[in-house]
């Protein structure tokens, strides 16, 4: 429901946002659907009617009307809301007066040092305007790129809003990334302005980054202006020219008539908003460009209707506080910030969620959420699994009774971990009560999407039954299907996840991608153009382009094809095809990581590339645990019982670490390619890894394996 809707809504119980939307459809459009499947099919068949309803429901504004909702249904190249003008920052700042009148803050931030800040809506607006005017004074014009090297602090969000309010194009890297990884991203986009921090605190350590900032400035000749944020307060000690740069705090301090009169520019619906990057496991990262309008409208539909995150000043969701743990190097930072689009208080944490190396503490985020009365608590699936492994007792981390939803993404959430979290939240409510809530179990909003389109394909539904380890439904407006090897849609079977119709937040293009060559190769070239492209089913003309192939194994419905639930079985390019039986890796991880001795695991399968069948399993064990014959037997039995004897690995190796990207994804495909004989430098970008030092062990294993197989 739009915050401006005068319809009275009871403050308790919290009416699900998707129910409010369906009530609005019935009242305003005379559209009623008996099942969610019927509603979903309407949303993916009648594309213009659905997306127009989202525009109207959220009262999106434009000084000029759009000529059509979808002028051209092509992938890539769809034209959405042609003629409309918008601005991400305009949608955020429209909430200043009503949110402030209700006494709800815009941002609450905290960090490892316990430095808590609360920023109200008028202050947010003033600081955005102040910095926007500063950027304009430095010559930033619409279309110019502003690059940021900042942690998850309020200044990053403010700098983003200031940049895009004047038509600048934003791109951010987390300051845990080294010089080469950052330059691989920023060199491609040639930023005019660099906004960076002096350093970060992580896992109990202060890490000075001024030398990196100087290297970035020296290697980016396009940069004409540098702004430095005193995150650690070491700027006075910095050496080099960046030490004398403009302080970010000074750019936020202006408060005069020009600041008070500032308004974000009205921009074309498809004006570039930001550039986000793929993980870049091989070659240069893909600089993906999203537009203002598409990002806003999809974020509202996802965040509110499916994630059930309400407006903090609306009577139905008064006091909503939204947290999704992320670094600025993951698209979930963008998703966290999207809470502001609907007037929601965003609660952010900067630092390690696990304490320090010497003193691990997986209760850190839970205590943070209790301190700040978080109502929606999101994190990567691996976070919840680690909490389970560490034996965290959530009820002992403070009063978390206000938490009404848990969100997960990044990798499939196992049924065991979800059941553990549900049991933990029962203990919370037993200890602290559950004011204003129903008596059911905690609702899990498990989502699967991607950086590529800054959204989700599969996710939650507040009113549908939930089953541990299963996502509840395909999202409205997302024409998602599972396709078999013949390119035919299937239910109840594992197939390639494809999206057969465009979504407004799909990329405008990749930066400097001539003729869309990289974009087409990434997402659209697996199936013939026109196959499955007719809305509602069937083939369309080739001019419509191909379906979007996302690279995940998906099953829709249960094994009998019943229900709306969806399961992601891992990346389709890292699948296991063991003796003719295909399976995603996540099922094996669920079986193996259920053993208390196993902290992490990874499997690769070499069969499908025509090599002799060989599948090694790598496990990280609890400190002090040794991989002996007894434990190997337990691991093999767990796989045999949960899956099939076919999936028992050829060998099991105890390793110190599983190689992961900066966003936490297991590096299955690079290790697979390495073991097939490809050189390390061709299969992995070390600068895009969280733990590149661990690769030496895998290189040595690959050498020994290849020698043995020769």
């Amino acid at each position: 429901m739009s915050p401006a809707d005068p319809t009275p809504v009871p403050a308790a119980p919290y009416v699900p946002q998707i129910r409010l939307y369906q009530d609005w459809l019935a009242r305003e459009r005379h559209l009623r659907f008996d099942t969610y499947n019927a509603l979903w099919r309407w949303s993916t068949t009648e594309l213009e009617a659905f997306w127009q309803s989202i525009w109207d429901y959220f009262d999106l504004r434009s000084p000029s009307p759009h000529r059509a909702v979808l002028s051209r249904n092509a992938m890539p190249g769809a034209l959405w809301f042609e003629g409309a003008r918008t601005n991400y920052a305009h949608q955020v700042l429209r909430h200043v007066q009503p949110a402030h009148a209700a006494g709800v803050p815009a941002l609450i931030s905290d960090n490892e040092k316990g430095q808590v800040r609360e920023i109200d809506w008028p202050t947010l607006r003033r600081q955005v305007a102040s910095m926007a005017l500063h950027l304009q004074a430095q010559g930033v014009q619409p279309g110019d790129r502003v690059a940021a090297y900042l942690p998850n602090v309020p200044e990053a969000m403010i700098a983003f809003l200031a940049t895009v309010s004047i038509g600048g194009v934003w791109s951010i890297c987390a300051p845990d990334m080294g010089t080469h990884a950052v330059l691989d991203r920023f060199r491609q986009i040639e930023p005019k302005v660099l906004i960076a921090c002096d350093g970060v605190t992580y896992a109990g350590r202060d890490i000075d980054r001024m030398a990196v900032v100087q290297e970035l400035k020296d290697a980016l000749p396009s940069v004409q202006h540098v702004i430095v944020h005193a995150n650690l307060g070491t700027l006075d000690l910095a050496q080099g020219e960046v030490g004398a740069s403009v302080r970010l705090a000074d750019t936020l301090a202006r408060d005069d008539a020009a600041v008070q009169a500032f308004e974000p520019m009205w921009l074309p619906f498809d004006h570039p908003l930001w550039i986000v990057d793929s993980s870049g496991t091989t070659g240069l990262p893909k600089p993906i460009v999203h537009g203002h309008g598409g990002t806003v409208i999809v974020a509202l539909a996802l965040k509110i209707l499916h994630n059930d995150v309400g407006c903090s000043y609306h009577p139905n969701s008064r006091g909503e506080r939204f947290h999704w743990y992320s670094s600025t190097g993951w698209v979930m930072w963008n998703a966290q910030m999207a809470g502001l689009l609907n007037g929601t208080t965003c609660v952010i944490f900067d630092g390690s969620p696990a304490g320090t190396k010497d003193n691990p503490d997986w209760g850190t985020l839970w205590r943070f959420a209790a301190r700040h009365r978080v109502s929606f608590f999101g994190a990567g699936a691996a976070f919840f699994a680690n909490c389970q492994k560490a034996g965290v007792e959530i009820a002992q981390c403070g009063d978390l009774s206000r938490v009404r939803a848990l969100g997960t993404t990044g990798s499939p959430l196992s049924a065991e971990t979800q059941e553990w979290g549900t049991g933990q939240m029962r203990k919370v409510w037993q200890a602290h009560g559950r004011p204003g809530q129903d008596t059911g179990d905690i609702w899990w909003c498990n989502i699967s999407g991607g950086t590529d389109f800054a959204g989700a394909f599969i996710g939650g539904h507040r009113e549908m039954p939930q089953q541990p380890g299963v996502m509840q439904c395909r999202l409205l407006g997302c024409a998602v299907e599972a396709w078999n090897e013949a390119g035919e849609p299937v239910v109840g079977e594992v197939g390639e996840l494809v999206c057969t119709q465009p979504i407004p937040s799909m990329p405008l293009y990749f930066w400097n991608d001539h003729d869309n060559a990289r974009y087409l190769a990434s997402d659209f070239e697996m199936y013939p153009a026109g196959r499955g492209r007719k809305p509602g089913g069937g083939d369309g003309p080739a001019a419509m382009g191909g379906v979007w192939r996302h690279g995940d194994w998906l099953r829709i419905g249960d094994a009998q094809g019943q229900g709306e639930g969806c399961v992601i079985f891992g990346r389709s390019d890292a699948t296991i095809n063991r003796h003719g039986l295909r399976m995603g890796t996540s099922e094996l991880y669920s079986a193996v990581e259920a053993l208390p001795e196993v902290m992490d695991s990874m499997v690769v399968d070499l069969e499908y590339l025509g090599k002799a069948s060989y599948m090694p399993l790598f496990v990280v064990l609890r400190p002090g645990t040794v991989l002996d014959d007894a434990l190997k037997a337990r691991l093999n039995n767990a796989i045999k019982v949960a899956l099939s004897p076919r999936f028992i690995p050829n060998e099991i190796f105890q390793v110190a670490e599983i190689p992961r990207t900066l966003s936490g994804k297991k590096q299955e495909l690079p290790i697979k390619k390495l073991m097939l004989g490809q050189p390390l430098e061709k299969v992995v970008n070390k600068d895009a890894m969280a733990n590149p030092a661990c690769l030496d062990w895998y290189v040595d294993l690959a050498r020994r394996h290849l020698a043995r197989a020769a």
Side-chain angles (χ1 to χ4, degrees), residues 233-251:
T234 59
L235 278 178
D236 290 340
L237 305 177
Q239 302 296 316
E241 64 175 293
V242 295
S245 302
V246 173
R247 273 45 170 180
L248 191 146
D250 293 340
T251 72

Side-chain angles (χ1 to χ4, degrees), residues 149 179 182-183 186 194 211-220:
Y149 187 64
T179 307
V182 177
L183 288 176
F186 288 169
L194 175 65
V212 175
V213 177
Q214 184 68 55
E215 290 173 348
L216 296 178
K217 170 64 172 65
D218 293 343
L220 294 169

